[in-house]
Amino acid sequence: MKEEQKMPFVKCFRTPNGFYCFDANKSELIDIPEEVYRYLLRLTEGNAAGEPPAAYTDFRSRGYFSEESRVRHVRHPMTDYIETLLESRESSAN
């Protein structure tokens, strides 16, 4: 029985020269085959029926495309200053 595929913690994109994926858990940008790129897109859309491509399975066996996130908290460096920045803009608009 095929196990349900979960969405890995990745961001995929393409350029005129190829297909790429940033694996957030490994903090690596990897060059991927088009079939893996298309499969990952289908996963994000929730319609990745069927068996994953062999290349996808190979990447998984090497620790890529994990759906377990090591990221616990995301915080922008300017978060502590947002109120001051907004107040400054508000007062300069008046």
Side-chain angles (χ1 to χ4, degrees), residues 3-57:
E3 72 177 65
E4 180 183 334
Q5 294 293 325
K6 296 179 183 173
M7 182 57 201
F9 195 43
V10 297
K11 174 65 177 170
C12 298
F13 60 95
R14 64 187 287 182
T15 70
N17 296 321
F19 301 88
Y20 305 92
C21 178
F22 179 75
D23 188 311
N25 288 321
K26 291 183 96 44
S27 193
E28 289 183 33
L29 181 63
I30 53 176
D31 188 355
I32 57 175
E34 183 177 358
E35 66 181 353
V36 173
Y37 172 81
R38 295 198 184 287
Y39 181 75
L40 288 168
L41 290 182
R42 287 196 313 270
L43 270 178
T44 62
E45 296 165 355
N47 60 5
E51 292 296 317
Y56 176 85
T57 305

Side-chain angles (χ1 to χ4, degrees), residues 1-2 4 6 9 29 45 52 61 64-65 85 89-90 94:
M1 184 168 104
K2 180 184 168 300
E4 180 183 334
K6 296 179 183 173
F9 195 43
L29 181 63
E45 296 165 355
S61 71
Y64 292 96
F65 308 143
L85 291 170
R89 283 197 165 187
E90 187 177 277
N94 292 329

Side-chain angles (χ1 to χ4, degrees), residues 60-73:
R60 292 271 305 174
S61 71
R62 292 184 283 149
Y64 292 96
F65 308 143
S66 173
E67 53 281 329
E68 298 286 326
S69 174
R70 293 182 184 154
V71 177
R72 297 292 173 233
H73 184 77

